[in-house]
Amino acid sequence: MANAAVVGCILFVIAIIIMSIILIATSLEKLDNKEVGLQYDTVQKDLDDEPYLEGLHLGPVGFEFIIFPNIYSTMNFGKVQCLNLDGVRITLSVSYQYRVQIPYMRDVVMQFKDWEGYEKALKRVGIASMYETCSNFNTSQFQTQRGEFESAMSKLLSERYNELHGDIEGLQINNIERPYEFEKAIKNKERAKEDIEVARQERPRLETEAQTKKREAESEANIILNRAESEARILNQKAQSEAEAIKEQYEKEAEAYESIMGSDGLGFTPEGFISYLGVRVIADAKNPVHIGLSSPAKSSFIKKD
């Protein structure tokens, strides 16, 4: 009997120890350095007010932690389509970092149950904020005022997240895509501006080239004109010289003929003189000439005093 009592006591002590170990084990939970949690008593259905940071923590038997990240997480939006102020569809690629405001974790858990529910709510708020910001900017402002657009979105997200006890950091507008037709028109416009700028820069050089060619043409024209005037003067002088020579020749011939017809000469009558000239022409001809003329020796061709 004594041995049975001893064995019973030993078994009882062992059971107490095992139960104590089990109770202690179920009353301990660990959080790592990237986590923050609220104790939730699964038996009493009670949520603690105080957040717990990293480490091993003791709580009610069977409790568990509702865990949230203690660091910033990244929210990525790959391609969110929204309508801008002009009614043009814009595709945005946005990312930012966010986390819960630790002092308000209990309120967050009471509204959204856990981290997964909270994250879904934050994502919806993020999309709604992007839609609202997008609707306040026209199409050209997405190109010319990208910084203002990013600041406006960051401000609106911060306000909306703060209402849900969340913080954001480092908003990045990774890409803004406008409709293909609009992008094509913008590219054509930019290309036209570049062409105009190139033409503006080329204009002085082209004007210089044109002026140079104009001066060359004027110089060549002056040279041709001077040459023509010089040749004209030479031809004029030559013509005048030839005319004077012919005139002098005719004058000399006239004097000779006058002398021949005069009283000191042969004293031909006009008819005799013509006959005399005819004979001279025939005599000077290179080829034989057969023609009948009256003889110039007739006495009737000689003037009588």
Side-chain angles (χ1 to χ4, degrees):
M1 293 294 294
N3 291 333
V6 172
V7 171
C9 290
I10 293 173
L11 292 175
F12 178 76
V13 172
I14 293 173
I16 292 297
I17 293 173
I18 293 174
M19 288 183 64
S20 299
I21 293 173
I22 293 173
L23 290 174
I24 293 173
T26 56
S27 299
L28 290 174
E29 287 288 344
K30 182 180 179 182
L31 296 173
D32 64 26
N33 60 347
K34 296 181 180 179
E35 294 176 336
V36 59
L38 288 177
Q39 287 187 359
Y40 176 63
D41 188 344
T42 58
V43 178
Q44 300 295 328
K45 307 299 181 182
D46 183 41
L47 182 66
D48 201 351
D49 295 333
E50 187 69 24
Y52 288 81
L53 300 177
E54 64 174 312
L56 188 63
H57 302 281
L58 181 65
V61 176
F63 87 100
E64 63 182 23
F65 275 117
I66 299 177
I67 299 174
F68 279 55
N70 191 28
I71 59 175
Y72 281 96
S73 302
T74 299
M75 184 79 76
N76 287 309
F77 296 95
K79 289 188 176 181
V80 176
Q81 292 187 341
C82 59
L83 294 179
N84 69 358
L85 189 61
D86 299 326
V88 176
R89 190 176 299 277
I90 304 295
T91 302
L92 300 175
S93 176
V94 179
S95 61
Y96 54 86
Q97 290 67 50
Y98 66 99
R99 72 173 181 180
V100 67
Q101 295 175 357
I102 295 177
Y104 298 95
M105 273 190 63
R106 191 178 192 283
D107 295 337
V108 171
V109 172
M110 294 299 293
Q111 291 184 61
F112 305 105
K113 182 182 176 181
D114 53 19
W115 172 249
E116 183 178 356
Y118 185 56
E119 192 174 35
K120 289 180 181 178
L122 292 180
K123 188 171 184 179
R124 294 190 185 97
V125 169
I127 294 176
S129 300
M130 292 169 65
Y131 287 162
E132 183 174 345
T133 308
C134 182
S135 65
N136 293 325
F137 287 79
N138 61 36
T139 307
S140 62
Q141 286 176 315
F142 281 94
Q143 178 72 22
T144 59
Q145 300 180 12
R146 182 164 177 165
E148 289 81 348
F149 173 72
E150 184 173 330
S151 298
M153 182 178 291
S154 178
K155 180 180 179 181
L156 183 60
L157 276 170
S158 297
E159 292 174 355
R160 296 291 174 80
Y161 270 48
N162 187 61
E163 293 174 0
L164 299 179
H165 305 300
D167 295 324
I168 72 164
E169 290 288 343
L171 175 71
Q172 301 98 34
I173 306 295
N174 300 317
N175 192 28
I176 299 176
E177 294 181 10
R178 292 167 295 189
Y180 172 77
E181 293 78 8
F182 185 84
E183 291 289 350
K184 184 177 180 181
I186 290 295
K187 289 180 180 178
N188 291 338
K189 182 179 179 181
E190 293 300 322
R191 188 179 299 114
K193 287 183 179 179
E194 292 175 359
D195 292 341
I196 292 173
E197 184 62 26
V198 170
R200 185 180 291 110
Q201 294 178 357
E202 287 289 318
R203 182 176 179 179
R205 182 181 65 81
L206 295 176
E207 288 180 347
T208 302
E209 290 182 358
Q211 290 294 335
T212 301
K213 290 182 180 179
K214 180 182 177 182
R215 286 193 291 269
E216 290 177 354
E218 290 175 348
S219 299
E220 186 174 355
N222 290 331
I223 292 172
I224 294 173
L225 180 62
N226 292 333
R227 184 184 300 156
E229 291 176 350
S230 177
E231 290 178 354
R233 285 194 298 271
I234 293 172
L235 291 175
N236 186 33
Q237 291 176 357
K238 183 178 179 181
Q240 290 179 358
S241 299
E242 290 179 352
E244 290 176 357
I246 292 171
K247 181 179 179 182
E248 185 177 356
Q249 181 181 356
Y250 285 158
E251 289 177 351
K252 289 181 179 181
E253 287 183 359
E255 291 176 357
Y257 294 154
E258 184 180 2
S259 176
I260 292 173
M261 293 178 65
S263 58
D264 296 333
L266 297 177
F268 286 140
T269 62
E271 293 81 1
F273 181 70
I274 293 172
S275 179
Y276 171 76
L277 288 178
V279 172
R280 288 286 304 275
V281 170
I282 294 171
D284 293 336
K286 295 181 179 180
N287 297 319
V289 177
H290 301 282
I291 188 171
L293 290 174
S294 300
S295 173
K298 290 181 179 182
S299 59
S300 58
F301 290 162
I302 303 174
K303 292 181 180 180
K304 295 181 180 180
D305 295 330

Short mmCIF file of all heavy atoms in Angstrom, two decimals, residues 201-253:
data_model
loop_
_atom_site.label_atom_id
_atom_site.label_comp_id
_atom_site.label_asym_id
_atom_site.label_seq_id
_atom_site.Cartn_x
_atom_site.Cartn_y
_atom_site.Cartn_z
N GLN A 201 19.04 77.24 -86.29
CA GLN A 201 20.49 77.24 -86.13
C GLN A 201 21.21 77.21 -87.49
O GLN A 201 22.29 77.76 -87.63
CB GLN A 201 20.92 76.03 -85.29
CG GLN A 201 20.44 76.10 -83.84
CD GLN A 201 20.82 74.88 -83.04
OE1 GLN A 201 21.40 73.93 -83.57
NE2 GLN A 201 20.48 74.86 -81.76
N GLU A 202 20.58 76.55 -88.47
CA GLU A 202 21.18 76.47 -89.79
C GLU A 202 20.97 77.74 -90.60
O GLU A 202 21.68 77.97 -91.59
CB GLU A 202 20.59 75.28 -90.55
CG GLU A 202 21.05 73.92 -90.07
CD GLU A 202 22.50 73.67 -90.44
OE1 GLU A 202 22.88 74.00 -91.56
OE2 GLU A 202 23.25 73.17 -89.59
N ARG A 203 20.00 78.56 -90.19
CA ARG A 203 19.65 79.74 -90.98
C ARG A 203 20.84 80.68 -91.22
O ARG A 203 21.05 81.10 -92.37
CB ARG A 203 18.50 80.47 -90.28
CG ARG A 203 18.02 81.69 -91.05
CD ARG A 203 16.82 82.32 -90.37
NE ARG A 203 16.36 83.50 -91.09
CZ ARG A 203 15.32 84.21 -90.73
NH1 ARG A 203 14.61 83.86 -89.66
NH2 ARG A 203 14.96 85.28 -91.43
N PRO A 204 21.63 81.05 -90.19
CA PRO A 204 22.77 81.93 -90.47
C PRO A 204 23.74 81.35 -91.48
O PRO A 204 24.23 82.08 -92.37
CB PRO A 204 23.44 82.08 -89.09
CG PRO A 204 22.35 81.80 -88.10
CD PRO A 204 21.50 80.75 -88.75
N ARG A 205 24.00 80.04 -91.37
CA ARG A 205 24.93 79.42 -92.32
C ARG A 205 24.36 79.45 -93.73
O ARG A 205 25.06 79.78 -94.70
CB ARG A 205 25.21 77.98 -91.91
CG ARG A 205 26.20 77.25 -92.81
CD ARG A 205 26.40 75.82 -92.37
NE ARG A 205 25.19 75.05 -92.52
CZ ARG A 205 24.79 74.52 -93.67
NH1 ARG A 205 25.49 74.70 -94.78
NH2 ARG A 205 23.67 73.82 -93.73
N LEU A 206 23.06 79.13 -93.86
CA LEU A 206 22.43 79.14 -95.19
C LEU A 206 22.38 80.56 -95.75
O LEU A 206 22.58 80.75 -96.96
CB LEU A 206 21.03 78.55 -95.09
CG LEU A 206 20.95 77.06 -94.70
CD1 LEU A 206 19.50 76.63 -94.54
CD2 LEU A 206 21.66 76.19 -95.74
N GLU A 207 22.10 81.54 -94.88
CA GLU A 207 22.09 82.93 -95.34
C GLU A 207 23.47 83.35 -95.83
O GLU A 207 23.61 84.03 -96.84
CB GLU A 207 21.61 83.85 -94.22
CG GLU A 207 20.12 83.73 -93.92
CD GLU A 207 19.69 84.66 -92.82
OE1 GLU A 207 20.58 85.20 -92.13
OE2 GLU A 207 18.47 84.86 -92.63
N THR A 208 24.51 82.92 -95.08
CA THR A 208 25.88 83.24 -95.49
C THR A 208 26.21 82.61 -96.84
O THR A 208 26.79 83.25 -97.73
CB THR A 208 26.88 82.75 -94.43
OG1 THR A 208 26.57 83.36 -93.17
CG2 THR A 208 28.30 83.09 -94.82
N GLU A 209 25.80 81.32 -96.97
CA GLU A 209 26.04 80.65 -98.25
C GLU A 209 25.30 81.36 -99.39
O GLU A 209 25.85 81.54 -100.48
CB GLU A 209 25.59 79.19 -98.16
CG GLU A 209 26.48 78.33 -97.28
CD GLU A 209 26.02 76.89 -97.26
OE1 GLU A 209 24.99 76.59 -97.91
OE2 GLU A 209 26.68 76.06 -96.60
N ALA A 210 24.04 81.76 -99.12
CA ALA A 210 23.26 82.44 -100.15
C ALA A 210 23.90 83.79 -100.52
O ALA A 210 23.98 84.14 -101.71
CB ALA A 210 21.83 82.64 -99.67
N GLN A 211 24.34 84.53 -99.48
CA GLN A 211 24.99 85.81 -99.74
C GLN A 211 26.28 85.61 -100.54
O GLN A 211 26.60 86.39 -101.45
CB GLN A 211 25.28 86.52 -98.42
CG GLN A 211 24.05 87.03 -97.69
CD GLN A 211 23.33 88.13 -98.44
OE1 GLN A 211 23.94 88.84 -99.25
NE2 GLN A 211 22.03 88.24 -98.20
N THR A 212 27.02 84.56 -100.19
CA THR A 212 28.27 84.27 -100.91
C THR A 212 27.98 83.96 -102.38
O THR A 212 28.65 84.47 -103.29
CB THR A 212 28.99 83.08 -100.25
OG1 THR A 212 29.27 83.40 -98.88
CG2 THR A 212 30.29 82.77 -100.97
N LYS A 213 26.97 83.10 -102.60
CA LYS A 213 26.61 82.76 -103.99
C LYS A 213 26.11 84.00 -104.73
O LYS A 213 26.40 84.18 -105.92
CB LYS A 213 25.54 81.68 -103.99
CG LYS A 213 26.06 80.32 -103.54
CD LYS A 213 24.97 79.27 -103.60
CE LYS A 213 25.51 77.91 -103.15
NZ LYS A 213 24.45 76.87 -103.17
N LYS A 214 25.35 84.85 -104.01
CA LYS A 214 24.87 86.08 -104.64
C LYS A 214 26.03 86.97 -105.04
O LYS A 214 26.07 87.51 -106.17
CB LYS A 214 23.94 86.81 -103.68
CG LYS A 214 23.38 88.11 -104.24
CD LYS A 214 22.51 88.81 -103.21
CE LYS A 214 22.01 90.16 -103.77
NZ LYS A 214 21.19 90.88 -102.76
N ARG A 215 27.01 87.13 -104.13
CA ARG A 215 28.17 87.97 -104.46
C ARG A 215 28.98 87.36 -105.61
O ARG A 215 29.48 88.08 -106.48
CB ARG A 215 29.04 88.15 -103.21
CG ARG A 215 28.44 89.10 -102.18
CD ARG A 215 29.47 89.48 -101.13
NE ARG A 215 29.82 88.36 -100.30
CZ ARG A 215 29.20 88.06 -99.16
NH1 ARG A 215 28.19 88.80 -98.75
NH2 ARG A 215 29.57 87.01 -98.44
N GLU A 216 29.10 86.02 -105.59
CA GLU A 216 29.82 85.36 -106.69
C GLU A 216 29.10 85.60 -108.02
O GLU A 216 29.74 85.88 -109.03
CB GLU A 216 29.92 83.86 -106.40
CG GLU A 216 30.86 83.51 -105.25
CD GLU A 216 30.87 82.02 -104.95
OE1 GLU A 216 30.06 81.30 -105.56
OE2 GLU A 216 31.69 81.58 -104.12
N ALA A 217 27.75 85.48 -107.99
CA ALA A 217 26.99 85.71 -109.22
C ALA A 217 27.12 87.16 -109.68
O ALA A 217 27.26 87.43 -110.88
CB ALA A 217 25.52 85.36 -108.98
N GLU A 218 27.05 88.10 -108.70
CA GLU A 218 27.20 89.51 -109.06
C GLU A 218 28.58 89.78 -109.64
O GLU A 218 28.72 90.50 -110.64
CB GLU A 218 26.95 90.38 -107.83
CG GLU A 218 25.50 90.40 -107.38
CD GLU A 218 25.31 91.18 -106.09
OE1 GLU A 218 26.34 91.50 -105.45
OE2 GLU A 218 24.15 91.47 -105.73
N SER A 219 29.61 89.18 -109.01
CA SER A 219 30.98 89.37 -109.52
C SER A 219 31.12 88.79 -110.92
O SER A 219 31.70 89.42 -111.82
CB SER A 219 31.99 88.69 -108.58
OG SER A 219 31.93 89.25 -107.29
N GLU A 220 30.56 87.59 -111.12
CA GLU A 220 30.63 86.97 -112.45
C GLU A 220 29.86 87.79 -113.47
O GLU A 220 30.32 87.97 -114.62
CB GLU A 220 30.05 85.55 -112.37
CG GLU A 220 30.22 84.76 -113.65
CD GLU A 220 29.78 83.32 -113.49
OE1 GLU A 220 29.44 82.93 -112.37
OE2 GLU A 220 29.78 82.59 -114.50
N ALA A 221 28.70 88.32 -113.05
CA ALA A 221 27.92 89.16 -113.96
C ALA A 221 28.69 90.43 -114.32
O ALA A 221 28.68 90.87 -115.49
CB ALA A 221 26.58 89.51 -113.32
N ASN A 222 29.35 91.03 -113.33
CA ASN A 222 30.15 92.24 -113.61
C ASN A 222 31.30 91.93 -114.55
O ASN A 222 31.62 92.74 -115.45
CB ASN A 222 30.69 92.81 -112.29
CG ASN A 222 29.59 93.42 -111.44
OD1 ASN A 222 28.59 93.89 -111.97
ND2 ASN A 222 29.77 93.41 -110.13
N ILE A 223 31.91 90.76 -114.32
CA ILE A 223 33.02 90.38 -115.21
C ILE A 223 32.51 90.21 -116.64
O ILE A 223 33.13 90.70 -117.61
CB ILE A 223 33.67 89.08 -114.71
CG1 ILE A 223 34.40 89.32 -113.39
CG2 ILE A 223 34.64 88.51 -115.74
CD1 ILE A 223 34.92 88.07 -112.72
N ILE A 224 31.37 89.50 -116.79
CA ILE A 224 30.81 89.29 -118.13
C ILE A 224 30.41 90.62 -118.76
O ILE A 224 30.66 90.88 -119.95
CB ILE A 224 29.59 88.35 -118.03
CG1 ILE A 224 30.06 86.95 -117.60
CG2 ILE A 224 28.86 88.27 -119.36
CD1 ILE A 224 28.93 85.98 -117.30
N LEU A 225 29.79 91.51 -117.93
CA LEU A 225 29.38 92.81 -118.44
C LEU A 225 30.59 93.65 -118.86
O LEU A 225 30.59 94.27 -119.94
CB LEU A 225 28.58 93.54 -117.36
CG LEU A 225 28.06 94.93 -117.72
CD1 LEU A 225 27.09 94.84 -118.90
CD2 LEU A 225 27.35 95.57 -116.53
N ASN A 226 31.63 93.65 -118.03
CA ASN A 226 32.83 94.40 -118.38
C ASN A 226 33.49 93.85 -119.65
O ASN A 226 33.96 94.61 -120.52
CB ASN A 226 33.83 94.36 -117.23
CG ASN A 226 33.33 95.13 -116.01
OD1 ASN A 226 32.53 96.06 -116.15
ND2 ASN A 226 33.80 94.76 -114.83
N ARG A 227 33.51 92.51 -119.74
CA ARG A 227 34.08 91.89 -120.93
C ARG A 227 33.27 92.26 -122.17
O ARG A 227 33.82 92.58 -123.23
CB ARG A 227 34.13 90.38 -120.75
CG ARG A 227 34.81 89.63 -121.90
CD ARG A 227 34.69 88.15 -121.67
NE ARG A 227 35.35 87.79 -120.42
CZ ARG A 227 35.04 86.71 -119.72
NH1 ARG A 227 34.05 85.90 -120.13
NH2 ARG A 227 35.69 86.42 -118.61
N ALA A 228 31.91 92.22 -122.02
CA ALA A 228 31.06 92.57 -123.15
C ALA A 228 31.25 94.03 -123.56
O ALA A 228 31.31 94.36 -124.76
CB ALA A 228 29.60 92.30 -122.80
N GLU A 229 31.33 94.91 -122.54
CA GLU A 229 31.54 96.33 -122.85
C GLU A 229 32.88 96.55 -123.53
O GLU A 229 32.99 97.34 -124.48
CB GLU A 229 31.44 97.15 -121.56
CG GLU A 229 30.03 97.21 -120.99
CD GLU A 229 29.99 97.95 -119.67
OE1 GLU A 229 31.09 98.24 -119.12
OE2 GLU A 229 28.87 98.25 -119.17
N SER A 230 33.92 95.83 -123.02
CA SER A 230 35.25 95.96 -123.63
C SER A 230 35.24 95.46 -125.07
O SER A 230 35.77 96.13 -125.97
CB SER A 230 36.27 95.18 -122.80
OG SER A 230 37.54 95.23 -123.39
N GLU A 231 34.61 94.29 -125.28
CA GLU A 231 34.54 93.76 -126.65
C GLU A 231 33.72 94.68 -127.54
O GLU A 231 34.05 94.86 -128.73
CB GLU A 231 33.92 92.35 -126.63
CG GLU A 231 34.84 91.31 -125.98
CD GLU A 231 34.20 89.94 -125.91
OE1 GLU A 231 32.99 89.85 -126.26
OE2 GLU A 231 34.87 88.98 -125.50
N ALA A 232 32.63 95.23 -126.95
CA ALA A 232 31.82 96.16 -127.74
C ALA A 232 32.64 97.39 -128.14
O ALA A 232 32.54 97.88 -129.28
CB ALA A 232 30.59 96.57 -126.94
N ARG A 233 33.44 97.92 -127.20
CA ARG A 233 34.28 99.09 -127.52
C ARG A 233 35.29 98.74 -128.61
O ARG A 233 35.53 99.52 -129.54
CB ARG A 233 35.01 99.57 -126.25
CG ARG A 233 34.11 100.32 -125.28
CD ARG A 233 34.95 101.06 -124.24
NE ARG A 233 35.74 100.15 -123.45
CZ ARG A 233 35.33 99.58 -122.32
NH1 ARG A 233 34.10 99.84 -121.86
NH2 ARG A 233 36.11 98.77 -121.64
N ILE A 234 35.88 97.55 -128.48
CA ILE A 234 36.86 97.13 -129.49
C ILE A 234 36.20 97.00 -130.86
O ILE A 234 36.73 97.49 -131.89
CB ILE A 234 37.51 95.80 -129.08
CG1 ILE A 234 38.37 96.01 -127.82
CG2 ILE A 234 38.35 95.22 -130.21
CD1 ILE A 234 38.91 94.73 -127.23
N LEU A 235 35.03 96.33 -130.88
CA LEU A 235 34.32 96.17 -132.16
C LEU A 235 33.90 97.52 -132.72
O LEU A 235 33.96 97.76 -133.94
CB LEU A 235 33.10 95.27 -131.95
CG LEU A 235 33.39 93.80 -131.64
CD1 LEU A 235 32.09 93.07 -131.34
CD2 LEU A 235 34.12 93.13 -132.81
N ASN A 236 33.46 98.43 -131.83
CA ASN A 236 33.04 99.76 -132.28
C ASN A 236 34.22 100.53 -132.87
O ASN A 236 34.10 101.15 -133.95
CB ASN A 236 32.42 100.50 -131.10
CG ASN A 236 31.82 101.84 -131.51
OD1 ASN A 236 31.32 101.98 -132.62
ND2 ASN A 236 31.87 102.81 -130.62
N GLN A 237 35.35 100.46 -132.13
CA GLN A 237 36.54 101.14 -132.64
C GLN A 237 37.00 100.54 -133.96
O GLN A 237 37.40 101.25 -134.90
CB GLN A 237 37.66 101.07 -131.60
CG GLN A 237 37.39 101.91 -130.36
CD GLN A 237 38.47 101.74 -129.31
OE1 GLN A 237 39.39 100.96 -129.50
NE2 GLN A 237 38.32 102.46 -128.20
N LYS A 238 36.94 99.19 -134.04
CA LYS A 238 37.35 98.52 -135.27
C LYS A 238 36.43 98.90 -136.42
O LYS A 238 36.89 99.18 -137.55
CB LYS A 238 37.31 97.01 -135.05
CG LYS A 238 37.80 96.22 -136.25
CD LYS A 238 37.77 94.73 -135.93
CE LYS A 238 38.24 93.92 -137.14
NZ LYS A 238 38.19 92.46 -136.86
N ALA A 239 35.10 98.95 -136.12
CA ALA A 239 34.14 99.33 -137.16
C ALA A 239 34.38 100.76 -137.61
O ALA A 239 34.31 101.08 -138.81
CB ALA A 239 32.71 99.14 -136.64
N GLN A 240 34.62 101.65 -136.61
CA GLN A 240 34.89 103.04 -136.96
C GLN A 240 36.16 103.17 -137.81
O GLN A 240 36.19 103.93 -138.78
CB GLN A 240 35.01 103.89 -135.69
CG GLN A 240 33.69 104.08 -134.96
CD GLN A 240 33.84 104.90 -133.69
OE1 GLN A 240 34.97 105.30 -133.36
NE2 GLN A 240 32.73 105.15 -133.01
N SER A 241 37.20 102.40 -137.40
CA SER A 241 38.45 102.44 -138.17
C SER A 241 38.24 101.94 -139.59
O SER A 241 38.73 102.54 -140.57
CB SER A 241 39.53 101.61 -137.48
OG SER A 241 39.80 102.11 -136.19
N GLU A 242 37.50 100.83 -139.70
CA GLU A 242 37.24 100.29 -141.03
C GLU A 242 36.40 101.26 -141.85
O GLU A 242 36.63 101.45 -143.06
CB GLU A 242 36.52 98.94 -140.92
CG GLU A 242 37.41 97.82 -140.37
CD GLU A 242 36.67 96.52 -140.24
OE1 GLU A 242 35.43 96.52 -140.43
OE2 GLU A 242 37.31 95.49 -139.93
N ALA A 243 35.40 101.88 -141.18
CA ALA A 243 34.55 102.84 -141.90
C ALA A 243 35.37 104.04 -142.38
O ALA A 243 35.20 104.51 -143.52
CB ALA A 243 33.42 103.30 -140.99
N GLU A 244 36.27 104.51 -141.50
CA GLU A 244 37.10 105.64 -141.89
C GLU A 244 38.05 105.26 -143.02
O GLU A 244 38.29 106.05 -143.94
CB GLU A 244 37.90 106.14 -140.67
CG GLU A 244 37.02 106.82 -139.64
CD GLU A 244 37.80 107.22 -138.38
OE1 GLU A 244 39.02 106.90 -138.34
OE2 GLU A 244 37.20 107.81 -137.47
N ALA A 245 38.57 104.01 -142.92
CA ALA A 245 39.48 103.56 -143.99
C ALA A 245 38.74 103.46 -145.31
O ALA A 245 39.26 103.87 -146.37
CB ALA A 245 40.09 102.21 -143.61
N ILE A 246 37.52 102.89 -145.27
CA ILE A 246 36.74 102.78 -146.51
C ILE A 246 36.39 104.16 -147.03
O ILE A 246 36.47 104.43 -148.24
CB ILE A 246 35.46 101.96 -146.24
CG1 ILE A 246 35.83 100.50 -145.94
CG2 ILE A 246 34.52 102.02 -147.42
CD1 ILE A 246 34.67 99.67 -145.46
N LYS A 247 35.98 105.03 -146.07
CA LYS A 247 35.62 106.39 -146.48
C LYS A 247 36.82 107.09 -147.12
O LYS A 247 36.70 107.76 -148.16
CB LYS A 247 35.14 107.17 -145.26
CG LYS A 247 34.73 108.60 -145.58
CD LYS A 247 34.24 109.28 -144.31
CE LYS A 247 33.85 110.74 -144.63
NZ LYS A 247 33.40 111.44 -143.41
N GLU A 248 38.01 106.92 -146.48
CA GLU A 248 39.23 107.55 -147.03
C GLU A 248 39.57 106.98 -148.39
O GLU A 248 39.97 107.71 -149.32
CB GLU A 248 40.38 107.33 -146.06
CG GLU A 248 41.67 108.03 -146.48
CD GLU A 248 42.77 107.84 -145.45
OE1 GLU A 248 42.50 107.21 -144.39
OE2 GLU A 248 43.90 108.30 -145.70
N GLN A 249 39.35 105.64 -148.50
CA GLN A 249 39.63 104.99 -149.79
C GLN A 249 38.73 105.53 -150.88
O GLN A 249 39.16 105.85 -152.00
CB GLN A 249 39.45 103.48 -149.66
CG GLN A 249 39.74 102.74 -150.95
CD GLN A 249 39.53 101.24 -150.77
OE1 GLN A 249 39.25 100.78 -149.67
NE2 GLN A 249 39.69 100.51 -151.87
N TYR A 250 37.42 105.67 -150.50
CA TYR A 250 36.49 106.19 -151.48
C TYR A 250 36.80 107.64 -151.83
O TYR A 250 36.64 108.07 -152.99
CB TYR A 250 35.06 106.08 -150.95
CG TYR A 250 34.51 104.67 -150.98
CD1 TYR A 250 33.45 104.29 -150.14
CD2 TYR A 250 35.02 103.72 -151.87
CE1 TYR A 250 32.95 103.02 -150.17
CE2 TYR A 250 34.52 102.43 -151.89
CZ TYR A 250 33.49 102.07 -151.05
OH TYR A 250 32.99 100.81 -151.10
N GLU A 251 37.22 108.42 -150.81
CA GLU A 251 37.58 109.81 -151.09
C GLU A 251 38.77 109.90 -152.05
O GLU A 251 38.78 110.73 -152.97
CB GLU A 251 37.90 110.53 -149.77
CG GLU A 251 36.67 110.78 -148.91
CD GLU A 251 37.01 111.43 -147.58
OE1 GLU A 251 38.23 111.51 -147.26
OE2 GLU A 251 36.09 111.84 -146.85
N LYS A 252 39.76 109.01 -151.77
CA LYS A 252 40.93 109.00 -152.66
C LYS A 252 40.54 108.58 -154.08
O LYS A 252 41.02 109.14 -155.08
CB LYS A 252 42.01 108.09 -152.11
CG LYS A 252 42.67 108.65 -150.87
CD LYS A 252 43.77 107.71 -150.37
CE LYS A 252 44.45 108.30 -149.13
NZ LYS A 252 45.51 107.41 -148.64
N GLU A 253 39.66 107.55 -154.13
CA GLU A 253 39.24 107.12 -155.44
C GLU A 253 38.45 108.23 -156.13
O GLU A 253 38.56 108.44 -157.35
CB GLU A 253 38.38 105.86 -155.33
CG GLU A 253 39.20 104.63 -154.98
CD GLU A 253 38.34 103.37 -154.95
OE1 GLU A 253 37.11 103.50 -155.18
OE2 GLU A 253 38.87 102.28 -154.71
#
